[in-house]
């Protein structure tokens, strides 16, 4: 059995990363989401321990101090981070772990885990991104403005990712992410062929 891989997925807030990922993951039982820790308030419909581990600032700082996080970032005034142990426990079992994280965290993982697969999900345009973010309706105006403000900078960093998928048509974006994962699984270094002589 081969080790699982870390799959980094980033993209501006509102681009539709979650929707693309849910479809990709529904077709692939060997993929698991990493559950991040965050200090941001819980949104309607979110479940603690499923969407995030919702923690206060002092608990987050304790995790940092104890080196429990594989990466972390401050995004729109809140802390976000990836608990390392859960990731490594899955990788050892041959399960690949999807990290839906911001660009600051992604750059840290690319450095620390060079075999990670990195995919940036980009919007077809900033106008379309604004329309999608407004349509989501779960984000206060001020927070939305902050997210739109950082989006152009996030898209510039797309060049550092191995792959960029433009989420114009959902099915096309899902197909492209699946194609990337299929190609990565076929890389010779991850294919352990064990042939025995046949008599
Ligand atoms: P949201 O608050 O909308 O759920 O997420 C805001 C941003 O934080 C998104 O870009 C999301 O990908 C990112 N994010 C979520 N979890 C983590 C994490 O563990 N680490 C980092 N660096 N970013 C994260």
């Amino acid at each position: 059995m081969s080790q699982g891989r870390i799959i980094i997925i980033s993209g501006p807030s509102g681009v539709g990363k979650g929707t693309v990922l849910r479809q990709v993951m529904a077709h692939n039982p060997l993929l698991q989401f990493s559950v991040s820790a965050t200090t941001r308030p819980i949104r309607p419909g979110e479940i603690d321990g499923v969407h995030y581990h919702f923690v206060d600032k002092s608990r987050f700082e304790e995790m940092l101090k104890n080196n429990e996080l594989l990466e972390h970032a401050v995004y729109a005034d809140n802390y976000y981070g990836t608990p390392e142990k859960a990731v490594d426990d899955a990788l050892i079992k041959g399960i690949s772990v999807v990290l839906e994280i911001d660009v600051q965290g992604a750059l840290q993982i690319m450095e620390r885990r060079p075999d990670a697969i990195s995919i940036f999900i980009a919007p077809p345009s900033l106008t379309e991104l604004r329309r999608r973010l407004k349509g989501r309706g779960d984000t206060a105006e001020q927070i939305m403005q902050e997210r739109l403000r950082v989006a152009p900078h996030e898209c510039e960093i797309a060049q550092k990712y191995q792959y960029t998928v433009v989420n114009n048509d959902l099915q096309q974006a899902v197909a492209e992410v699946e194609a990337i994962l299929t190609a990565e699984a076929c890389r010779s270094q991850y294919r352990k062929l064990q042939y025995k002589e046949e008599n």
Side-chain angles (χ1 to χ4, degrees):
M1 181 188 66
S2 2
Q3 275 247 138
R5 308 269 310 272
I6 290 180
I7 302 160
I8 306 168
I9 306 271
S10 306
S13 188
V15 76
K17 302 181 288 279
T19 314
V20 172
L21 283 177
R22 271 194 300 281
Q23 293 213 10
V24 171
M25 295 180 73
H27 304 155
N28 195 331
L30 286 180
L31 287 181
Q32 177 178 300
F33 262 121
S34 155
V35 181
S36 299
T38 184
T39 59
R40 87 142 157 75
I42 191 162
R43 287 189 196 134
E46 287 182 329
I47 302 167
D48 187 22
V50 174
H51 297 96
Y52 283 101
H53 299 292
F54 293 95
V55 299
D56 61 16
K57 203 168 166 222
S58 69
R59 171 63 190 130
F60 197 97
E61 282 166 353
E62 185 182 287
M63 291 169 106
L64 275 179
K65 205 173 86 196
N66 298 340
N67 280 325
E68 290 173 48
L69 300 175
L70 183 55
E71 59 72 40
H72 73 282
V74 176
Y75 183 92
D77 289 337
N78 289 299
Y79 278 127
Y80 293 83
T82 304
E84 186 160 25
K85 185 173 181 306
V87 171
D88 286 331
D89 287 350
L91 298 181
I92 286 168
K93 289 187 215 147
I95 295 168
S96 292
V97 185
V98 175
L99 271 55
E100 195 190 323
I101 59 176
D102 88 318
V103 293
Q104 307 164 66
L107 296 176
Q108 293 168 45
I109 305 248
M110 289 174 201
E111 188 88 21
R112 285 184 66 177
R113 306 282 181 113
D115 61 338
I117 301 165
S118 54
I119 307 175
F120 189 88
I121 312 275
S125 67
L126 291 176
T127 311
E128 174 59 15
L129 182 69
R130 187 171 298 115
R131 198 187 63 76
R132 288 185 196 173
L133 202 53
K134 280 198 169 138
R136 202 161 77 172
D138 64 353
T139 312
E141 180 65 26
Q142 194 193 348
I143 297 175
M144 200 169 72
Q145 289 306 332
E146 171 60 14
R147 288 175 180 209
L148 284 171
R149 193 185 62 76
V150 296
H153 168 67
E154 289 173 323
C155 291
E156 273 171 31
I157 300 181
Q159 286 303 315
K160 307 232 183 221
Y161 288 66
Q162 292 162 327
Y163 301 97
T164 300
V165 169
V166 177
N167 186 16
N168 190 11
D169 173 77
L170 176 63
Q171 289 320 317
Q172 171 76 15
V174 169
E176 287 184 9
V177 172
E178 286 178 340
I180 292 165
L181 298 183
T182 301
E184 284 287 337
C186 294
R187 277 182 186 263
S188 303
Q189 74 191 98
Y190 298 108
R191 280 269 146 107
K192 301 274 179 321
L193 301 179
Q194 286 170 333
Y195 295 122
K196 287 202 183 100
E197 282 299 330
E198 286 170 23
N199 296 319

